[in-house]
Amino acid sequence: MNMIEVQGLTKKFGDFTAVDGLTFQVAEGEVFGLLGPNGAGKTTTVRMLCCLISRTAGDAHIAGYDLANPADSLKIRKLIGLVPDNIGLYEELSAYENLDYYGKLYECTPDERKTRIEYFLKMMELWEKRDLPISDFSKGMKQKVGIARALIHDPRLLFFDEPTANLDPESARSIREFILQLKKEGKTIFFNTHNLDEAQRVCDRIGILKTRLLAVNTPQQLEKNVWGSRTVIQVEEVSEPVLEAVRRLDPVSLSVEENKINIGINDPTRQNPDFVQAIVAAGGRIQYVTQLNPGLEETYLKIIQ
Amino acid sequence: MRLSKAWTVASKDFKTFTKKKGILYSSLYFELVVSIGLPFLVLYISGKPNAVAALPQLLNAFSFLFVIGAALLPVSIASYSLVGEKVQKSLEPLLATPTTDEEILAGKSIAAFLPAICSSFIGALVFTILIDLFTYSPLKYLYFPNWDFAIILFLLAPLVCILAVGFNVLVSSRVNDVRTAQQIGYLIILPFGAVYFLTELKVLTQTTNNLLIMAAVVAVIDGIVFYLVRATFQREEILTKWK
């Protein structure tokens, strides 16, 4: 079952188009990352999906509920949790009071609130600080409380908008680990980020957004779609007969850099042995054979450009 | 609209005010001066020769200060309640909860209205007791309760208080810090201050009929302000235009 289904979703602010014709699906239990530069429309997309702002055109369904139907709006908000980019906790209140307040707004019973607040604060190692005002917390600690707030009603779908932005590496790592744990628990997660490394580690699929959705796929498949598969064969010496032997096998692309032969290949598993055999037969002495991975960053930049 | 949700929002604000006592204290100074300071001033004046004849007019004028108080008291609370949310950027997660715009607005309004009107009533109670205590001997009758004061306290003051809350919601949507919201919000006192001085200058007279007319005018303005507030307090408006 798809938790999110979006078809031609568009948002305009006056003459400015923030999001144009988005179409994608997110399956239940999937972690979907939306990558894009600042101003690409990531936050606007999340706000539309969380029923915070209206759409200008297109359709969207969350767990079968229609975003366009005002009667479904409260039902949608009940089953989602949002961790916004500005975490927005009440600085004068304690961590416990902040979570209790949101527990009430999400209509949790007093017992549920008590149990879940204790569970999350202990899990995030903040239980001892539960009565301290939020103003005394570090940014990483506030981010953890913000995540606990989004989880207080045990939502099926979570939206994270830049959850590790401006955090130190240690805090960012603990947030990522927590998100991975939520993934194991089967939560559906929609993840906005421009941290490519984080997206690669956490997300099952990635969408690249720059007002329009430019590409959607798994990180590996995105790379493959952009670059194809490339094999690098390092030989002792690149001679003309060796190159001629490679050319005869009709590679997608071929380039040479010092003693490395860079070959574009459609099906490396099947074709690599042929290339190796041809090079050896032409008198080439092979030192290494490696698969070239440009990485998500290169892929992202290529798509965005 | 679920009142329990509105009450949850209001309760959170009450809790915040108990931790930021400055917000409450700043509202109470005026009330203390009017309800305790003025009766002692009356006590001092009533001891003067020929003062008895002027006492009813003076007490009438002082009664109207509870209208000004009703406009003044909610300003700091309402400003903090909404602009505080803006400053702490807590409106987005709040709006993402299954709470309607009306419930949030009602909660914020209750949070500003209730302490203001309660302190007005408590202040008025202290004021009437002290005034009756200090003036019974020179006047030979109990000045309070009377109809004019009842209209001021139970009709005009709540309507003015609602107006002040609504005006502050409108102001809060346009400013980014609590102090500016308060400074602009205090402008709501001006028309009532003007009525007070015009009465003192005998341009206007404070009669029961005039008080009822004034209440009707304020009620109409309340309706207009409520309409504007409803148009302003829309989640999309809040997230995209409340800067």
Side-chain angles (χ1 to χ4, degrees):
Chain A
M1 180 203 166
N2 283 331
M3 182 59 85
I4 304 175
E5 284 188 41
V6 171
Q7 186 73 43
L9 194 65
T10 300
K11 179 66 188 177
K12 289 183 179 183
F13 296 103
D15 293 335
F16 172 70
T17 304
V19 172
D20 191 8
L22 251 64
T23 298
F24 64 90
Q25 293 83 36
V26 179
E28 188 155 21
E30 187 181 7
V31 179
F32 184 86
L34 202 54
L35 281 177
N38 290 333
K42 302 188 298 289
T43 299
T44 301
T45 303
V46 164
R47 285 179 170 180
M48 279 192 282
L49 295 177
C50 291
C51 307
L52 290 170
I53 57 173
S54 62
R55 84 229 186 293
T56 308
D59 290 316
H61 289 81
I62 304 281
Y65 294 117
D66 188 355
L67 224 64
N69 182 359
D72 284 352
S73 171
L74 281 183
K75 291 173 193 159
I76 291 172
R77 277 186 265 146
K78 234 177 191 177
L79 59 86
I80 64 172
L82 169 66
V83 182
D85 54 349
N86 288 305
I87 207 71
L89 293 162
Y90 299 106
E91 298 278 325
E92 308 84 12
L93 302 184
S94 68
Y96 195 100
E97 287 168 333
N98 266 281
L99 295 179
D100 193 51
Y101 174 52
Y102 275 88
K104 286 176 187 166
L105 291 175
Y106 279 110
E107 297 158 23
C108 302
T109 64
D111 279 347
E112 283 171 343
R113 293 203 304 269
K114 191 167 175 283
T115 312
R116 287 180 192 161
I117 292 170
E118 187 172 344
Y119 171 75
F120 287 122
L121 289 181
K122 280 185 174 167
M123 176 193 270
M124 292 170 170
E125 296 168 358
L126 293 172
W127 181 246
E128 304 304 321
K129 298 181 191 298
R130 63 188 179 279
D131 293 325
L132 290 179
I134 286 292
S135 52
D136 288 358
F137 281 31
S138 68
K139 202 160 188 174
M141 287 155 75
K142 286 179 186 174
Q143 197 73 1
K144 286 178 178 177
V145 177
I147 293 174
R149 177 183 63 189
L151 288 164
I152 194 77
H153 57 301
D154 194 21
R156 286 166 64 193
L157 169 61
L158 277 156
F159 288 92
F160 287 90
D161 195 359
E162 309 278 2
T164 58
N166 306 318
L167 291 186
D168 62 78
E170 197 185 340
S171 301
R173 186 179 181 166
S174 72
I175 299 289
R176 265 197 305 273
E177 282 169 359
F178 188 67
I179 292 169
L180 287 170
Q181 191 179 324
L182 292 170
K183 179 182 174 178
K184 278 184 198 158
E185 289 172 15
K187 302 275 187 210
T188 310
I189 296 170
F190 190 99
F191 194 86
N192 267 0
T193 185
H194 43 218
N195 183 332
L196 301 167
D197 175 53
E198 185 170 86
Q200 196 151 23
R201 285 181 204 210
V202 174
C203 301
D204 297 319
R205 283 193 310 140
I206 286 170
I208 296 181
L209 180 73
K210 197 176 172 188
T211 307
R212 300 181 66 85
L213 198 55
L214 303 174
V216 184
N217 224 315
T218 61
Q220 299 76 18
Q221 198 58 45
L222 277 177
E223 275 184 44
K224 197 174 171 187
N225 289 351
V226 170
W227 304 106
S229 295
R230 284 195 286 177
T231 298
V232 178
I233 301 176
Q234 186 176 315
V235 291
E236 204 171 77
E237 189 188 348
V238 181
S239 64
E240 193 45 45
V242 165
L243 285 178
E244 190 51 40
V246 172
R247 276 192 208 106
R248 252 184 262 125
L249 290 172
D250 199 18
V252 174
S253 63
L254 176 65
S255 61
V256 178
E257 195 181 317
E258 292 178 0
N259 60 339
K260 290 174 188 155
I261 306 170
N262 191 334
I263 310 168
I265 299 174
N266 285 327
D267 185 354
T269 318
R270 194 177 59 78
Q271 290 175 286
N272 273 349
D274 297 341
F275 281 101
V276 169
Q277 202 172 20
I279 290 168
V280 171
R285 285 172 59 81
I286 293 174
Q287 293 172 323
Y288 298 105
V289 179
T290 49
Q291 186 79 29
L292 190 69
N293 293 313
L296 188 60
E297 185 173 310
E298 291 296 319
T299 308
Y300 166 80
L301 289 172
K302 175 108 178 166
I303 293 172
I304 286 291
Q305 281 157 13
Chain B
M1 189 180 72
R2 296 157 296 179
L3 275 177
S4 61
K5 275 288 177 81
W7 186 250
T8 301
V9 174
S11 302
K12 191 281 294 174
D13 278 359
F14 294 147
K15 194 172 275 180
T16 304
F17 302 148
T18 61
K19 300 195 180 197
K20 279 192 95 83
K21 294 192 169 58
I23 300 167
L24 280 184
Y25 292 161
S26 65
S27 308
L28 293 176
Y29 294 138
F30 180 84
E31 205 62 42
L32 285 171
V33 169
V34 173
S35 57
I36 297 171
L38 290 185
F40 279 95
L41 183 66
V42 168
L43 176 66
Y44 172 74
I45 291 169
S46 62
K48 300 274 181 191
N50 303 324
V52 177
L55 268 182
Q57 194 197 334
L58 186 69
L59 295 176
N60 227 13
F62 284 172
S63 306
F64 194 80
L65 290 175
F66 284 93
V67 174
I68 294 174
L72 181 80
L73 294 173
V75 171
S76 60
I77 297 175
S79 303
Y80 189 82
S81 176
L82 277 163
V83 182
E85 296 265 6
K86 272 168 91 171
V87 170
Q88 302 194 59
K89 301 194 186 302
S90 49
L91 280 166
E92 188 170 357
L94 175 62
L95 292 166
T97 64
T99 313
T100 64
D101 300 355
E102 291 83 2
E103 287 159 356
I104 295 171
L105 180 59
K108 293 286 170 195
S109 302
I110 291 168
F113 177 82
L114 220 55
I117 206 70
C118 285
S119 75
S120 275
F121 287 168
I122 294 167
L125 183 70
V126 174
F127 177 77
T128 52
I129 291 170
L130 289 179
I131 289 292
D132 279 344
L133 201 68
F134 296 156
T135 60
Y136 181 72
S137 172
L139 289 175
K140 310 290 182 216
Y141 64 94
L142 291 176
Y143 188 79
F144 292 119
N146 61 48
W147 278 111
D148 285 359
F149 194 55
I151 291 168
I152 283 173
L153 203 59
F154 299 114
L155 187 63
L156 203 46
L159 286 170
V160 168
C161 195
I162 290 168
L163 180 63
V165 172
F167 180 67
N168 268 276
V169 173
L170 294 177
V171 170
S172 299
S173 69
R174 294 282 173 263
V175 300
N176 275 328
D177 69 289
V178 176
R179 193 167 292 179
T180 309
Q182 286 175 356
Q183 284 167 349
I184 300 172
Y186 284 129
L187 293 177
I188 195 69
I189 300 159
L190 288 181
F192 304 103
V195 169
Y196 178 82
F197 283 111
L198 289 175
T199 309
E200 288 300 287
L201 296 170
K202 304 217 179 347
V203 178
L204 293 174
T205 48
Q206 190 176 304
T207 62
T208 308
N209 276 347
N210 284 350
L211 286 173
L212 287 172
I213 290 166
M214 195 174 169
V217 170
V218 175
V220 171
I221 299 170
D222 275 355
I224 295 165
V225 170
F226 177 75
Y227 175 79
L228 293 174
V229 166
R230 277 298 295 118
T232 306
F233 205 87
Q234 306 277 341
R235 56 190 53 229
E236 182 146 2
E237 183 100 354
I238 292 168
L239 286 172
T240 58
K241 292 183 184 162
W242 282 33
K243 300 292 183 194

mmCIF file with all atom_site columns, all heavy atoms in Angstrom, chain A residues 152-169:
data_model
loop_
_atom_site.group_PDB
_atom_site.id
_atom_site.type_symbol
_atom_site.label_atom_id
_atom_site.label_alt_id
_atom_site.label_comp_id
_atom_site.label_asym_id
_atom_site.label_entity_id
_atom_site.label_seq_id
_atom_site.pdbx_PDB_ins_code
_atom_site.Cartn_x
_atom_site.Cartn_y
_atom_site.Cartn_z
_atom_site.occupancy
_atom_site.B_iso_or_equiv
_atom_site.pdbx_formal_charge
_atom_site.auth_seq_id
_atom_site.auth_comp_id
_atom_site.auth_asym_id
_atom_site.auth_atom_id
_atom_site.pdbx_PDB_model_num
ATOM 1   N N   . ILE A 1 152 ? 4.955  11.415 19.607 1.00 0.00 ? 152 ILE A N   1
ATOM 2   C CA  . ILE A 1 152 ? 4.211  11.239 20.864 1.00 0.00 ? 152 ILE A CA  1
ATOM 3   C C   . ILE A 1 152 ? 2.880  10.511 20.652 1.00 0.00 ? 152 ILE A C   1
ATOM 4   O O   . ILE A 1 152 ? 2.402  9.807  21.535 1.00 0.00 ? 152 ILE A O   1
ATOM 5   C CB  . ILE A 1 152 ? 4.001  12.619 21.562 1.00 0.00 ? 152 ILE A CB  1
ATOM 6   C CG1 . ILE A 1 152 ? 3.561  12.451 23.006 1.00 0.00 ? 152 ILE A CG1 1
ATOM 7   C CG2 . ILE A 1 152 ? 3.024  13.509 20.814 1.00 0.00 ? 152 ILE A CG2 1
ATOM 8   C CD1 . ILE A 1 152 ? 4.668  12.084 23.932 1.00 0.00 ? 152 ILE A CD1 1
ATOM 9   N N   . HIS A 1 153 ? 2.299  10.637 19.455 1.00 0.00 ? 153 HIS A N   1
ATOM 10  C CA  . HIS A 1 153 ? 1.006  9.992  19.180 1.00 0.00 ? 153 HIS A CA  1
ATOM 11  C C   . HIS A 1 153 ? 1.160  8.749  18.315 1.00 0.00 ? 153 HIS A C   1
ATOM 12  O O   . HIS A 1 153 ? 0.186  8.279  17.741 1.00 0.00 ? 153 HIS A O   1
ATOM 13  C CB  . HIS A 1 153 ? 0.057  11.001 18.527 1.00 0.00 ? 153 HIS A CB  1
ATOM 14  C CG  . HIS A 1 153 ? 0.605  11.601 17.255 1.00 0.00 ? 153 HIS A CG  1
ATOM 15  N ND1 . HIS A 1 153 ? 1.783  12.308 17.202 1.00 0.00 ? 153 HIS A ND1 1
ATOM 16  C CD2 . HIS A 1 153 ? 0.146  11.583 15.977 1.00 0.00 ? 153 HIS A CD2 1
ATOM 17  C CE1 . HIS A 1 153 ? 2.024  12.702 15.966 1.00 0.00 ? 153 HIS A CE1 1
ATOM 18  N NE2 . HIS A 1 153 ? 1.058  12.256 15.197 1.00 0.00 ? 153 HIS A NE2 1
ATOM 19  N N   . ASP A 1 154 ? 2.401  8.229  18.234 1.00 0.00 ? 154 ASP A N   1
ATOM 20  C CA  . ASP A 1 154 ? 2.690  7.010  17.480 1.00 0.00 ? 154 ASP A CA  1
ATOM 21  C C   . ASP A 1 154 ? 2.182  7.119  16.031 1.00 0.00 ? 154 ASP A C   1
ATOM 22  O O   . ASP A 1 154 ? 1.360  6.310  15.581 1.00 0.00 ? 154 ASP A O   1
ATOM 23  C CB  . ASP A 1 154 ? 2.033  5.803  18.186 1.00 0.00 ? 154 ASP A CB  1
ATOM 24  C CG  . ASP A 1 154 ? 2.593  4.488  17.646 1.00 0.00 ? 154 ASP A CG  1
ATOM 25  O OD1 . ASP A 1 154 ? 3.699  4.510  17.081 1.00 0.00 ? 154 ASP A OD1 1
ATOM 26  O OD2 . ASP A 1 154 ? 1.897  3.459  17.761 1.00 0.00 ? 154 ASP A OD2 1
ATOM 27  N N   . PRO A 1 155 ? 2.690  8.113  15.289 1.00 0.00 ? 155 PRO A N   1
ATOM 28  C CA  . PRO A 1 155 ? 2.170  8.317  13.929 1.00 0.00 ? 155 PRO A CA  1
ATOM 29  C C   . PRO A 1 155 ? 2.664  7.232  12.963 1.00 0.00 ? 155 PRO A C   1
ATOM 30  O O   . PRO A 1 155 ? 3.703  6.616  13.200 1.00 0.00 ? 155 PRO A O   1
ATOM 31  C CB  . PRO A 1 155 ? 2.749  9.678  13.543 1.00 0.00 ? 155 PRO A CB  1
ATOM 32  C CG  . PRO A 1 155 ? 4.013  9.777  14.318 1.00 0.00 ? 155 PRO A CG  1
ATOM 33  C CD  . PRO A 1 155 ? 3.793  9.053  15.601 1.00 0.00 ? 155 PRO A CD  1
ATOM 34  N N   . ARG A 1 156 ? 1.921  7.056  11.873 1.00 0.00 ? 156 ARG A N   1
ATOM 35  C CA  . ARG A 1 156 ? 2.331  6.068  10.870 1.00 0.00 ? 156 ARG A CA  1
ATOM 36  C C   . ARG A 1 156 ? 3.318  6.673  9.885  1.00 0.00 ? 156 ARG A C   1
ATOM 37  O O   . ARG A 1 156 ? 4.087  5.977  9.251  1.00 0.00 ? 156 ARG A O   1
ATOM 38  C CB  . ARG A 1 156 ? 1.093  5.573  10.103 1.00 0.00 ? 156 ARG A CB  1
ATOM 39  C CG  . ARG A 1 156 ? 0.242  4.625  10.937 1.00 0.00 ? 156 ARG A CG  1
ATOM 40  C CD  . ARG A 1 156 ? -1.118 4.433  10.300 1.00 0.00 ? 156 ARG A CD  1
ATOM 41  N NE  . ARG A 1 156 ? -1.028 3.782  9.006  1.00 0.00 ? 156 ARG A NE  1
ATOM 42  C CZ  . ARG A 1 156 ? -2.041 3.726  8.127  1.00 0.00 ? 156 ARG A CZ  1
ATOM 43  N NH1 . ARG A 1 156 ? -3.201 4.253  8.433  1.00 0.00 ? 156 ARG A NH1 1
ATOM 44  N NH2 . ARG A 1 156 ? -1.894 3.127  6.960  1.00 0.00 ? 156 ARG A NH2 1
ATOM 45  N N   . LEU A 1 157 ? 3.228  7.990  9.748  1.00 0.00 ? 157 LEU A N   1
ATOM 46  C CA  . LEU A 1 157 ? 4.061  8.671  8.742  1.00 0.00 ? 157 LEU A CA  1
ATOM 47  C C   . LEU A 1 157 ? 4.772  9.855  9.398  1.00 0.00 ? 157 LEU A C   1
ATOM 48  O O   . LEU A 1 157 ? 4.154  10.642 10.104 1.00 0.00 ? 157 LEU A O   1
ATOM 49  C CB  . LEU A 1 157 ? 3.143  9.170  7.609  1.00 0.00 ? 157 LEU A CB  1
ATOM 50  C CG  . LEU A 1 157 ? 3.720  10.115 6.566  1.00 0.00 ? 157 LEU A CG  1
ATOM 51  C CD1 . LEU A 1 157 ? 4.864  9.466  5.803  1.00 0.00 ? 157 LEU A CD1 1
ATOM 52  C CD2 . LEU A 1 157 ? 2.628  10.542 5.587  1.00 0.00 ? 157 LEU A CD2 1
ATOM 53  N N   . LEU A 1 158 ? 6.062  9.941  9.139  1.00 0.00 ? 158 LEU A N   1
ATOM 54  C CA  . LEU A 1 158 ? 6.850  11.034 9.738  1.00 0.00 ? 158 LEU A CA  1
ATOM 55  C C   . LEU A 1 158 ? 7.469  11.904 8.659  1.00 0.00 ? 158 LEU A C   1
ATOM 56  O O   . LEU A 1 158 ? 8.001  11.382 7.671  1.00 0.00 ? 158 LEU A O   1
ATOM 57  C CB  . LEU A 1 158 ? 7.973  10.446 10.583 1.00 0.00 ? 158 LEU A CB  1
ATOM 58  C CG  . LEU A 1 158 ? 7.570  10.033 11.989 1.00 0.00 ? 158 LEU A CG  1
ATOM 59  C CD1 . LEU A 1 158 ? 8.519  8.987  12.514 1.00 0.00 ? 158 LEU A CD1 1
ATOM 60  C CD2 . LEU A 1 158 ? 7.573  11.234 12.914 1.00 0.00 ? 158 LEU A CD2 1
ATOM 61  N N   . PHE A 1 159 ? 7.389  13.186 8.868  1.00 0.00 ? 159 PHE A N   1
ATOM 62  C CA  . PHE A 1 159 ? 8.043  14.130 7.962  1.00 0.00 ? 159 PHE A CA  1
ATOM 63  C C   . PHE A 1 159 ? 9.213  14.776 8.702  1.00 0.00 ? 159 PHE A C   1
ATOM 64  O O   . PHE A 1 159 ? 9.014  15.362 9.767  1.00 0.00 ? 159 PHE A O   1
ATOM 65  C CB  . PHE A 1 159 ? 7.066  15.220 7.521  1.00 0.00 ? 159 PHE A CB  1
ATOM 66  C CG  . PHE A 1 159 ? 6.022  14.741 6.561  1.00 0.00 ? 159 PHE A CG  1
ATOM 67  C CD1 . PHE A 1 159 ? 4.798  14.285 7.024  1.00 0.00 ? 159 PHE A CD1 1
ATOM 68  C CD2 . PHE A 1 159 ? 6.261  14.738 5.194  1.00 0.00 ? 159 PHE A CD2 1
ATOM 69  C CE1 . PHE A 1 159 ? 3.825  13.842 6.139  1.00 0.00 ? 159 PHE A CE1 1
ATOM 70  C CE2 . PHE A 1 159 ? 5.296  14.292 4.307  1.00 0.00 ? 159 PHE A CE2 1
ATOM 71  C CZ  . PHE A 1 159 ? 4.078  13.836 4.777  1.00 0.00 ? 159 PHE A CZ  1
ATOM 72  N N   . PHE A 1 160 ? 10.375 14.655 8.137  1.00 0.00 ? 160 PHE A N   1
ATOM 73  C CA  . PHE A 1 160 ? 11.558 15.317 8.705  1.00 0.00 ? 160 PHE A CA  1
ATOM 74  C C   . PHE A 1 160 ? 12.014 16.378 7.715  1.00 0.00 ? 160 PHE A C   1
ATOM 75  O O   . PHE A 1 160 ? 12.323 16.063 6.565  1.00 0.00 ? 160 PHE A O   1
ATOM 76  C CB  . PHE A 1 160 ? 12.706 14.314 8.886  1.00 0.00 ? 160 PHE A CB  1
ATOM 77  C CG  . PHE A 1 160 ? 12.521 13.354 10.016 1.00 0.00 ? 160 PHE A CG  1
ATOM 78  C CD1 . PHE A 1 160 ? 11.894 12.146 9.822  1.00 0.00 ? 160 PHE A CD1 1
ATOM 79  C CD2 . PHE A 1 160 ? 12.992 13.653 11.286 1.00 0.00 ? 160 PHE A CD2 1
ATOM 80  C CE1 . PHE A 1 160 ? 11.731 11.245 10.858 1.00 0.00 ? 160 PHE A CE1 1
ATOM 81  C CE2 . PHE A 1 160 ? 12.831 12.763 12.328 1.00 0.00 ? 160 PHE A CE2 1
ATOM 82  C CZ  . PHE A 1 160 ? 12.201 11.556 12.113 1.00 0.00 ? 160 PHE A CZ  1
ATOM 83  N N   . ASP A 1 161 ? 12.063 17.622 8.161  1.00 0.00 ? 161 ASP A N   1
ATOM 84  C CA  . ASP A 1 161 ? 12.520 18.703 7.287  1.00 0.00 ? 161 ASP A CA  1
ATOM 85  C C   . ASP A 1 161 ? 13.906 19.148 7.766  1.00 0.00 ? 161 ASP A C   1
ATOM 86  O O   . ASP A 1 161 ? 14.023 19.848 8.768  1.00 0.00 ? 161 ASP A O   1
ATOM 87  C CB  . ASP A 1 161 ? 11.510 19.865 7.331  1.00 0.00 ? 161 ASP A CB  1
ATOM 88  C CG  . ASP A 1 161 ? 11.710 20.847 6.192  1.00 0.00 ? 161 ASP A CG  1
ATOM 89  O OD1 . ASP A 1 161 ? 12.637 20.641 5.387  1.00 0.00 ? 161 ASP A OD1 1
ATOM 90  O OD2 . ASP A 1 161 ? 10.938 21.822 6.101  1.00 0.00 ? 161 ASP A OD2 1
ATOM 91  N N   . GLU A 1 162 ? 14.915 18.733 7.056  1.00 0.00 ? 162 GLU A N   1
ATOM 92  C CA  . GLU A 1 162 ? 16.319 19.047 7.401  1.00 0.00 ? 162 GLU A CA  1
ATOM 93  C C   . GLU A 1 162 ? 16.615 18.725 8.870  1.00 0.00 ? 162 GLU A C   1
ATOM 94  O O   . GLU A 1 162 ? 16.989 19.626 9.633  1.00 0.00 ? 162 GLU A O   1
ATOM 95  C CB  . GLU A 1 162 ? 16.615 20.541 7.161  1.00 0.00 ? 162 GLU A CB  1
ATOM 96  C CG  . GLU A 1 162 ? 16.218 21.069 5.792  1.00 0.00 ? 162 GLU A CG  1
ATOM 97  C CD  . GLU A 1 162 ? 17.241 20.793 4.708  1.00 0.00 ? 162 GLU A CD  1
ATOM 98  O OE1 . GLU A 1 162 ? 18.263 20.145 5.021  1.00 0.00 ? 162 GLU A OE1 1
ATOM 99  O OE2 . GLU A 1 162 ? 16.989 21.171 3.566  1.00 0.00 ? 162 GLU A OE2 1
ATOM 100 N N   . PRO A 1 163 ? 16.487 17.496 9.299  1.00 0.00 ? 163 PRO A N   1
ATOM 101 C CA  . PRO A 1 163 ? 16.578 17.202 10.736 1.00 0.00 ? 163 PRO A CA  1
ATOM 102 C C   . PRO A 1 163 ? 17.972 17.350 11.338 1.00 0.00 ? 163 PRO A C   1
ATOM 103 O O   . PRO A 1 163 ? 18.089 17.519 12.544 1.00 0.00 ? 163 PRO A O   1
ATOM 104 C CB  . PRO A 1 163 ? 16.105 15.750 10.831 1.00 0.00 ? 163 PRO A CB  1
ATOM 105 C CG  . PRO A 1 163 ? 16.390 15.168 9.498  1.00 0.00 ? 163 PRO A CG  1
ATOM 106 C CD  . PRO A 1 163 ? 16.220 16.276 8.512  1.00 0.00 ? 163 PRO A CD  1
ATOM 107 N N   . THR A 1 164 ? 19.011 17.303 10.491 1.00 0.00 ? 164 THR A N   1
ATOM 108 C CA  . THR A 1 164 ? 20.363 17.407 11.076 1.00 0.00 ? 164 THR A CA  1
ATOM 109 C C   . THR A 1 164 ? 21.068 18.701 10.675 1.00 0.00 ? 164 THR A C   1
ATOM 110 O O   . THR A 1 164 ? 22.251 18.847 10.931 1.00 0.00 ? 164 THR A O   1
ATOM 111 C CB  . THR A 1 164 ? 21.231 16.206 10.651 1.00 0.00 ? 164 THR A CB  1
ATOM 112 O OG1 . THR A 1 164 ? 21.277 16.190 9.224  1.00 0.00 ? 164 THR A OG1 1
ATOM 113 C CG2 . THR A 1 164 ? 20.662 14.888 11.146 1.00 0.00 ? 164 THR A CG2 1
ATOM 114 N N   . ALA A 1 165 ? 20.324 19.610 10.062 1.00 0.00 ? 165 ALA A N   1
ATOM 115 C CA  . ALA A 1 165 ? 20.942 20.879 9.648  1.00 0.00 ? 165 ALA A CA  1
ATOM 116 C C   . ALA A 1 165 ? 21.472 21.617 10.869 1.00 0.00 ? 165 ALA A C   1
ATOM 117 O O   . ALA A 1 165 ? 20.806 21.694 11.892 1.00 0.00 ? 165 ALA A O   1
ATOM 118 C CB  . ALA A 1 165 ? 19.909 21.738 8.919  1.00 0.00 ? 165 ALA A CB  1
ATOM 119 N N   . ASN A 1 166 ? 22.677 22.120 10.761 1.00 0.00 ? 166 ASN A N   1
ATOM 120 C CA  . ASN A 1 166 ? 23.330 22.911 11.823 1.00 0.00 ? 166 ASN A CA  1
ATOM 121 C C   . ASN A 1 166 ? 23.611 22.131 13.103 1.00 0.00 ? 166 ASN A C   1
ATOM 122 O O   . ASN A 1 166 ? 23.832 22.730 14.152 1.00 0.00 ? 166 ASN A O   1
ATOM 123 C CB  . ASN A 1 166 ? 22.496 24.150 12.186 1.00 0.00 ? 166 ASN A CB  1
ATOM 124 C CG  . ASN A 1 166 ? 22.186 24.991 10.976 1.00 0.00 ? 166 ASN A CG  1
ATOM 125 O OD1 . ASN A 1 166 ? 23.055 25.191 10.132 1.00 0.00 ? 166 ASN A OD1 1
ATOM 126 N ND2 . ASN A 1 166 ? 20.959 25.458 10.864 1.00 0.00 ? 166 ASN A ND2 1
ATOM 127 N N   . LEU A 1 167 ? 23.579 20.810 13.042 1.00 0.00 ? 167 LEU A N   1
ATOM 128 C CA  . LEU A 1 167 ? 23.940 20.025 14.232 1.00 0.00 ? 167 LEU A CA  1
ATOM 129 C C   . LEU A 1 167 ? 25.406 19.606 14.136 1.00 0.00 ? 167 LEU A C   1
ATOM 130 O O   . LEU A 1 167 ? 25.941 19.443 13.037 1.00 0.00 ? 167 LEU A O   1
ATOM 131 C CB  . LEU A 1 167 ? 23.076 18.770 14.332 1.00 0.00 ? 167 LEU A CB  1
ATOM 132 C CG  . LEU A 1 167 ? 21.590 18.934 14.659 1.00 0.00 ? 167 LEU A CG  1
ATOM 133 C CD1 . LEU A 1 167 ? 20.948 17.576 14.852 1.00 0.00 ? 167 LEU A CD1 1
ATOM 134 C CD2 . LEU A 1 167 ? 21.389 19.765 15.916 1.00 0.00 ? 167 LEU A CD2 1
ATOM 135 N N   . ASP A 1 168 ? 26.038 19.415 15.308 1.00 0.00 ? 168 ASP A N   1
ATOM 136 C CA  . ASP A 1 168 ? 27.400 18.919 15.278 1.00 0.00 ? 168 ASP A CA  1
ATOM 137 C C   . ASP A 1 168 ? 27.385 17.451 14.825 1.00 0.00 ? 168 ASP A C   1
ATOM 138 O O   . ASP A 1 168 ? 26.344 16.786 14.903 1.00 0.00 ? 168 ASP A O   1
ATOM 139 C CB  . ASP A 1 168 ? 28.059 19.085 16.661 1.00 0.00 ? 168 ASP A CB  1
ATOM 140 C CG  . ASP A 1 168 ? 27.341 18.283 17.713 1.00 0.00 ? 168 ASP A CG  1
ATOM 141 O OD1 . ASP A 1 168 ? 27.560 17.064 17.764 1.00 0.00 ? 168 ASP A OD1 1
ATOM 142 O OD2 . ASP A 1 168 ? 26.539 18.863 18.473 1.00 0.00 ? 168 ASP A OD2 1
ATOM 143 N N   . PRO A 1 169 ? 28.524 16.933 14.325 1.00 0.00 ? 169 PRO A N   1
ATOM 144 C CA  . PRO A 1 169 ? 28.517 15.584 13.737 1.00 0.00 ? 169 PRO A CA  1
ATOM 145 C C   . PRO A 1 169 ? 27.989 14.505 14.689 1.00 0.00 ? 169 PRO A C   1
ATOM 146 O O   . PRO A 1 169 ? 27.279 13.590 14.265 1.00 0.00 ? 169 PRO A O   1
ATOM 147 C CB  . PRO A 1 169 ? 29.993 15.342 13.409 1.00 0.00 ? 169 PRO A CB  1
ATOM 148 C CG  . PRO A 1 169 ? 30.566 16.700 13.244 1.00 0.00 ? 169 PRO A CG  1
ATOM 149 C CD  . PRO A 1 169 ? 29.824 17.586 14.182 1.00 0.00 ? 169 PRO A CD  1
#
